[in-house]
Amino acid sequence: MRSNILYVVIPCYNEEEVLPETARRLKEKMECLMAGKMISRNSKIIFVNDGSKDHTWDLIQEMHREDALYGGINLTRNRGHQNALLAGLMTVKEYADIMISMDSDLQDDIGAMDEMLKKYQEGIDIVYGVRSSRKTDTVFKKATAECFYEIMKFLGADTVFNHADYRLMSKRAVEGLAEFTEVNLFLRGVIPLVGYPSDFVYYERGERFAGKSKYPLGKMVSFAVEGITSLSIRPIRLITVLGFLIFLMSIVMLIYSFVRHFMGATIVGWTTLMISIWAIGGLILLSLGVVGEYIGKIYLETKRRPRFLVEQFLHGTDGEEEKNAGRR
Ligand code: UDP
Ligand code: MG
């Protein structure tokens, strides 16, 4: 039997509406697992407060005071879901043998935890939770999300299809992840690069039971751009291909222009000219933008700014507090 102290890591951003219910359901689940000897009695639920503007942190502190099963990590400011998750994993990895990450809205079925833990005991280090269907998502969310995976794949960012950040990782897998020191960390793309034996668990994705999605379309698009530019250089390569094709076109146009010239019909062609100018201008700007994205990335990487700062880490049986617990 592999050692089995489980830490559930949950990023929370303005989640006061869902947090009490999430905590209650998870506690039930944890007690069940403890009773079944699937996990150690020292297991914990850790909420990562990602700079919420509501009472999320107060709630976490209160829960921690009442029950040592709950712990909390307070980030100094909002750093986004990926960084919050990373902060959680990096902070708890020295205490835990197993870490399961999930969203605070319990859209991911906590019933799948049993199967994840079973796979862990069979020697698997990374178990991805994969949605078997998206029945409860709105048509718009479903379409945009599916588009997202297709575009990502085409542009060279190969991620696990329909897997959000609901996954189990063993201690050594998280330690492996810690070796990826890039500042622009795109977890879903990087974790498959960590390697180690991995497997999948399928579950139905439920509805967010309260509150609003913290991932509107704008955030999703920027998330996709982040993912693509931090995982692959294919967009730059596509620009090169595009440039080459346009060059071929220009040779055709050159020949065509000469033919027209010698036929003495040089005035016509204003339309073609206008269209070409706009099209090529647009393409140049677009290409510059893509190259710029990468240069921006390089700029941020060279600065080596911390990905997150932990203001407070609530953890431990006697409510001991570790202030300024970490910076990474
Ligand atoms: N989240 C976060 N920081 C942010 C935005 C979201 O920690 O800046 C958390 C949020 O609290 C939730 C998870 O990320 O636990 C997923 O967010 P949400 O459920 O709103 O996304 P959706 O399920 O709609 O894609
Ligand atoms: Mg959600």
Side-chain angles (χ1 to χ4, degrees):
M1 184 111 175
R2 295 172 90 183
S3 42
N4 56 1
I5 301 179
L6 168 69
Y7 274 56
V8 180
V9 177
I10 305 172
C12 309
Y13 176 59
N14 294 346
E15 298 286 10
E16 60 182 7
E17 283 164 278
V18 297
L19 217 53
E21 178 63 13
T22 302
R24 193 186 62 73
R25 286 199 214 169
L26 261 178
K27 182 179 174 171
E28 238 169 58
K29 184 79 207 165
M30 296 288 275
E31 276 167 355
C32 225
L33 290 170
M34 284 177 191
K37 300 239 184 315
M38 296 275 281
I39 57 171
S40 150
R41 292 262 163 209
N42 295 326
S43 300
K44 289 197 190 305
I45 302 168
I46 304 288
F47 297 103
V48 184
N49 176 36
D50 186 19
S52 301
K53 291 176 184 66
D54 61 3
H55 297 293
T56 301
W57 182 239
D58 299 331
L59 277 174
I60 297 171
Q61 281 177 305
E62 201 181 297
M63 287 192 284
H64 172 69
R65 235 176 285 128
E66 278 165 20
D67 191 339
L69 175 71
Y70 302 117
I73 295 169
N74 194 26
L75 300 189
T76 53
R77 51 160 298 180
N78 182 255
R79 296 294 287 122
H81 171 248
Q82 297 279 295
N83 284 311
L85 186 50
L86 189 72
L89 294 175
M90 293 305 135
T91 311
V92 306
K93 74 176 187 313
E94 42 194 301
Y95 308 98
D97 301 315
I98 316 165
M99 280 146 269
I100 293 183
S101 51
M102 63 171 73
D103 289 354
S104 55
D105 51 11
L106 290 192
Q107 279 187 292
D108 308 316
D109 173 22
I110 55 174
M113 283 169 69
D114 299 70
E115 214 180 315
M116 286 184 167
L117 290 164
K118 218 179 286 160
K119 295 219 189 258
Y120 167 78
Q121 287 302 344
E122 287 164 10
I124 306 289
D125 283 280
I126 305 176
V127 187
Y128 300 99
V130 176
R131 291 167 206 169
S132 51
S133 81
R134 282 175 168 272
K135 275 204 282 277
T136 54
D137 276 355
T138 61
V139 177
F140 180 70
K141 176 103 194 174
K142 187 171 152 181
T144 47
E146 256 153 35
C147 231
F148 169 84
Y149 288 107
E150 287 304 320
I151 294 172
M152 296 274 291
K153 202 154 137 202
F154 175 69
L155 292 177
D158 211 357
T159 51
V160 180
F161 188 68
N162 265 345
H163 159 70
D165 285 291
Y166 184 28
R167 82 176 80 78
L168 175 147
M169 291 178 85
S170 70
K171 194 193 201 86
R172 65 171 185 169
V174 176
E175 273 164 1
L177 177 65
E179 299 290 319
F180 288 74
T181 51
E182 56 213 78
V183 176
N184 296 290
L185 194 65
F186 186 71
L187 282 175
R188 283 178 217 180
V190 165
I191 286 170
L193 299 179
V194 173
Y196 289 125
S198 62
D199 206 344
F200 308 94
V201 159
Y202 296 89
Y203 67 94
E204 292 274 331
R205 184 162 162 96
E207 233 162 311
R208 179 180 253 282
F209 62 85
K212 274 203 286 288
S213 169
K214 309 294 181 291
Y215 265 100
L217 183 65
K219 257 196 194 174
M220 240 168 68
V221 170
S222 76
F223 186 59
V225 171
E226 272 297 305
I228 293 159
T229 52
S230 62
L231 283 173
S232 102
I233 56 163
R234 190 170 289 175
I236 289 189
R237 209 156 286 154
L238 287 178
I239 288 180
T240 317
V241 172
L242 198 69
F244 185 69
L245 289 179
I246 290 176
F247 174 68
L248 287 184
M249 268 307 286
S250 75
I251 292 178
V252 174
M253 288 306 280
L254 193 83
I255 295 167
Y256 174 73
S257 312
F258 270 119
V259 172
R260 295 290 299 208
H261 181 76
F262 288 118
M263 284 165 65
T266 35
I267 294 301
V268 279
W270 183 83
T271 328
T272 0
L273 202 64
M274 283 313 276
I275 292 171
S276 319
I277 288 171
W278 280 98
I280 292 175
L283 283 174
I284 290 172
L285 281 182
L286 177 73
S287 312
L288 270 180
V290 174
V291 175
E293 277 290 324
Y294 283 93
I295 295 179
K297 279 260 147 84
I298 297 169
Y299 173 69
L300 288 175
E301 291 293 340
T302 53
K303 279 185 178 300
R304 309 219 55 78
R305 285 185 185 156
R307 294 177 283 193
F308 56 84
L309 293 169
V310 174
E311 190 260 335
Q312 205 175 356
F313 179 29
L314 295 179
H315 174 254
T317 41
D318 45 7
E320 92 213 34
E321 288 170 16
E322 297 165 39
K323 286 216 165 135
N324 297 323
R327 163 208 157 100
R328 257 161 276 242

mmCIF file of all heavy atoms in Angstrom, residues 84-99:
data_model
loop_
_atom_site.group_PDB
_atom_site.id
_atom_site.type_symbol
_atom_site.label_atom_id
_atom_site.label_comp_id
_atom_site.label_asym_id
_atom_site.label_seq_id
_atom_site.Cartn_x
_atom_site.Cartn_y
_atom_site.Cartn_z
ATOM 1 N N ALA A 84 -2.936 30.093 -8.846
ATOM 2 C CA ALA A 84 -3.474 29.763 -7.530
ATOM 3 C C ALA A 84 -3.327 28.264 -7.277
ATOM 4 O O ALA A 84 -2.912 27.834 -6.195
ATOM 5 C CB ALA A 84 -4.937 30.184 -7.439
ATOM 6 N N LEU A 85 -3.631 27.499 -8.297
ATOM 7 C CA LEU A 85 -3.523 26.052 -8.183
ATOM 8 C C LEU A 85 -2.066 25.645 -7.933
ATOM 9 O O LEU A 85 -1.754 24.829 -7.061
ATOM 10 C CB LEU A 85 -4.042 25.431 -9.482
ATOM 11 C CG LEU A 85 -4.150 23.929 -9.544
ATOM 12 C CD1 LEU A 85 -4.895 23.413 -8.338
ATOM 13 C CD2 LEU A 85 -4.867 23.525 -10.822
ATOM 14 N N LEU A 86 -1.191 26.266 -8.710
ATOM 15 C CA LEU A 86 0.229 25.974 -8.559
ATOM 16 C C LEU A 86 0.709 26.333 -7.151
ATOM 17 O O LEU A 86 1.440 25.566 -6.505
ATOM 18 C CB LEU A 86 1.006 26.792 -9.592
ATOM 19 C CG LEU A 86 2.466 26.453 -9.716
ATOM 20 C CD1 LEU A 86 2.627 25.110 -10.407
ATOM 21 C CD2 LEU A 86 3.203 27.525 -10.493
ATOM 22 N N ALA A 87 0.278 27.492 -6.662
ATOM 23 C CA ALA A 87 0.655 27.911 -5.316
ATOM 24 C C ALA A 87 0.230 26.855 -4.307
ATOM 25 O O ALA A 87 0.985 26.477 -3.407
ATOM 26 C CB ALA A 87 0.007 29.251 -4.978
ATOM 27 N N GLY A 88 -0.988 26.360 -4.472
ATOM 28 C CA GLY A 88 -1.498 25.335 -3.563
ATOM 29 C C GLY A 88 -0.634 24.086 -3.606
ATOM 30 O O GLY A 88 -0.178 23.599 -2.568
ATOM 31 N N LEU A 89 -0.373 23.606 -4.802
ATOM 32 C CA LEU A 89 0.396 22.364 -4.936
ATOM 33 C C LEU A 89 1.802 22.517 -4.366
ATOM 34 O O LEU A 89 2.296 21.664 -3.631
ATOM 35 C CB LEU A 89 0.477 21.947 -6.412
ATOM 36 C CG LEU A 89 -0.833 21.538 -7.074
ATOM 37 C CD1 LEU A 89 -0.627 21.277 -8.557
ATOM 38 C CD2 LEU A 89 -1.404 20.295 -6.404
ATOM 39 N N MET A 90 2.446 23.647 -4.685
ATOM 40 C CA MET A 90 3.834 23.842 -4.239
ATOM 41 C C MET A 90 3.903 24.000 -2.716
ATOM 42 O O MET A 90 4.877 23.614 -2.097
ATOM 43 C CB MET A 90 4.441 25.073 -4.923
ATOM 44 C CG MET A 90 4.636 24.905 -6.405
ATOM 45 S SD MET A 90 5.615 23.450 -6.787
ATOM 46 C CE MET A 90 4.695 22.723 -8.119
ATOM 47 N N THR A 91 2.860 24.584 -2.141
ATOM 48 C CA THR A 91 2.880 24.802 -0.699
ATOM 49 C C THR A 91 2.622 23.509 0.074
ATOM 50 O O THR A 91 3.215 23.292 1.121
ATOM 51 C CB THR A 91 1.846 25.873 -0.303
ATOM 52 O OG1 THR A 91 2.011 27.003 -1.155
ATOM 53 C CG2 THR A 91 2.020 26.309 1.135
ATOM 54 N N VAL A 92 1.736 22.663 -0.443
ATOM 55 C CA VAL A 92 1.383 21.479 0.348
ATOM 56 C C VAL A 92 2.226 20.250 0.010
ATOM 57 O O VAL A 92 2.148 19.244 0.702
ATOM 58 C CB VAL A 92 -0.117 21.106 0.214
ATOM 59 C CG1 VAL A 92 -0.993 22.296 0.554
ATOM 60 C CG2 VAL A 92 -0.447 20.580 -1.166
ATOM 61 N N LYS A 93 3.045 20.325 -1.040
ATOM 62 C CA LYS A 93 3.683 19.099 -1.511
ATOM 63 C C LYS A 93 4.604 18.435 -0.487
ATOM 64 O O LYS A 93 4.813 17.227 -0.531
ATOM 65 C CB LYS A 93 4.411 19.321 -2.837
ATOM 66 C CG LYS A 93 5.706 20.099 -2.775
ATOM 67 C CD LYS A 93 6.292 20.109 -4.175
ATOM 68 C CE LYS A 93 7.674 20.701 -4.262
ATOM 69 N NZ LYS A 93 7.923 21.956 -3.595
ATOM 70 N N GLU A 94 5.114 19.208 0.459
ATOM 71 C CA GLU A 94 5.978 18.558 1.460
ATOM 72 C C GLU A 94 5.195 17.807 2.535
ATOM 73 O O GLU A 94 5.740 16.981 3.240
ATOM 74 C CB GLU A 94 6.938 19.560 2.091
ATOM 75 C CG GLU A 94 6.309 20.887 2.428
ATOM 76 C CD GLU A 94 7.378 21.931 2.734
ATOM 77 O OE1 GLU A 94 8.160 21.700 3.662
ATOM 78 O OE2 GLU A 94 7.404 22.976 2.036
ATOM 79 N N TYR A 95 3.901 18.105 2.643
ATOM 80 C CA TYR A 95 3.092 17.429 3.666
ATOM 81 C C TYR A 95 2.304 16.249 3.095
ATOM 82 O O TYR A 95 1.922 15.353 3.820
ATOM 83 C CB TYR A 95 2.098 18.403 4.295
ATOM 84 C CG TYR A 95 2.739 19.680 4.794
ATOM 85 C CD1 TYR A 95 2.725 20.832 4.025
ATOM 86 C CD2 TYR A 95 3.377 19.718 6.038
ATOM 87 C CE1 TYR A 95 3.328 22.004 4.474
ATOM 88 C CE2 TYR A 95 3.976 20.876 6.488
ATOM 89 C CZ TYR A 95 3.955 22.017 5.701
ATOM 90 O OH TYR A 95 4.537 23.158 6.143
ATOM 91 N N ALA A 96 2.034 16.306 1.812
ATOM 92 C CA ALA A 96 1.101 15.343 1.229
ATOM 93 C C ALA A 96 1.808 14.254 0.440
ATOM 94 O O ALA A 96 2.904 14.451 -0.081
ATOM 95 C CB ALA A 96 0.143 16.085 0.306
ATOM 96 N N ASP A 97 1.154 13.095 0.349
ATOM 97 C CA ASP A 97 1.626 12.044 -0.552
ATOM 98 C C ASP A 97 0.859 12.108 -1.861
ATOM 99 O O ASP A 97 1.349 11.750 -2.915
ATOM 100 C CB ASP A 97 1.392 10.659 0.065
ATOM 101 C CG ASP A 97 2.093 10.501 1.397
ATOM 102 O OD1 ASP A 97 3.265 10.900 1.478
ATOM 103 O OD2 ASP A 97 1.469 10.020 2.353
ATOM 104 N N ILE A 98 -0.399 12.552 -1.731
ATOM 105 C CA ILE A 98 -1.282 12.604 -2.896
ATOM 106 C C ILE A 98 -1.936 13.978 -2.897
ATOM 107 O O ILE A 98 -2.348 14.472 -1.854
ATOM 108 C CB ILE A 98 -2.425 11.576 -2.772
ATOM 109 C CG1 ILE A 98 -1.918 10.225 -2.280
ATOM 110 C CG2 ILE A 98 -3.176 11.445 -4.079
ATOM 111 C CD1 ILE A 98 -3.030 9.305 -1.811
ATOM 112 N N MET A 99 -2.034 14.598 -4.078
ATOM 113 C CA MET A 99 -2.748 15.862 -4.167
ATOM 114 C C MET A 99 -3.823 15.766 -5.244
ATOM 115 O O MET A 99 -3.551 15.325 -6.352
ATOM 116 C CB MET A 99 -1.775 16.988 -4.513
ATOM 117 C CG MET A 99 -0.988 17.479 -3.304
ATOM 118 S SD MET A 99 0.678 17.997 -3.733
ATOM 119 C CE MET A 99 1.578 16.472 -3.490
#
